[in-house]
Amino acid sequence: MKKNILLKSIIIFLTFIMYSCGNSKTEKTELVYENGNQKVEIQILNGNDYLEYDKPTETNFVLTNIEINTFSVYGAGIRILETKDGTLKTEIKVPNNYLENDTLNVKVRFGKKTEENYEFNIPMKTAE
């Protein structure tokens, strides 16, 4: 009798663990905005989908079907390095304790009358 209860408990426990592992999601930061044939993609060149406080990180804003001279970007610590072939190369360095929450809000605008607006939310982490 005790073996049956122990065996059932182990089976339930293993089933619970397998179910939990199968349903776990890796949060992926969405760094792409699309509207019809226009697209803005942020590429963080350190290989992560987040930025680190007090660490300058090169980023690219890759524009598809958007005129570079109608594009603007706003956010804490963003420095424009150059524009080339539909790509706005930047460096982002946000000081520690600058943001209220660990999310950098980056606003982009584009179009002839800057009718297109979008806000990216990029996670921030403290360097380890």
Side-chain angles (χ1 to χ4, degrees), residues 13-25:
F13 179 73
L14 290 175
T15 303
F16 176 75
I17 288 177
M18 288 173 35
Y19 179 77
S20 297
C21 291
N23 286 336
S24 66
K25 293 181 182 176

Side-chain angles (χ1 to χ4, degrees), residues 2-12:
K2 287 185 180 184
K3 278 188 173 183
N4 277 344
I5 293 174
L6 179 63
L7 185 59
K8 286 180 183 180
S9 297
I10 290 172
I11 290 172
I12 291 171

Side-chain angles (χ1 to χ4, degrees), residues 75-90:
I78 297 175
R79 184 172 70 121
I80 296 174
L81 302 175
E82 71 175 312
T83 58
K84 185 177 182 182
D85 299 327
T87 300
L88 179 70
K89 296 180 181 289
T90 66

Side-chain angles (χ1 to χ4, degrees), residues 41-45 58-62 87-90:
E41 178 181 3
I42 299 177
Q43 298 174 341
I44 301 174
L45 301 182
E58 288 190 21
T59 56
N60 288 338
F61 288 79
V62 180
T87 300
L88 179 70
K89 296 180 181 289
T90 66

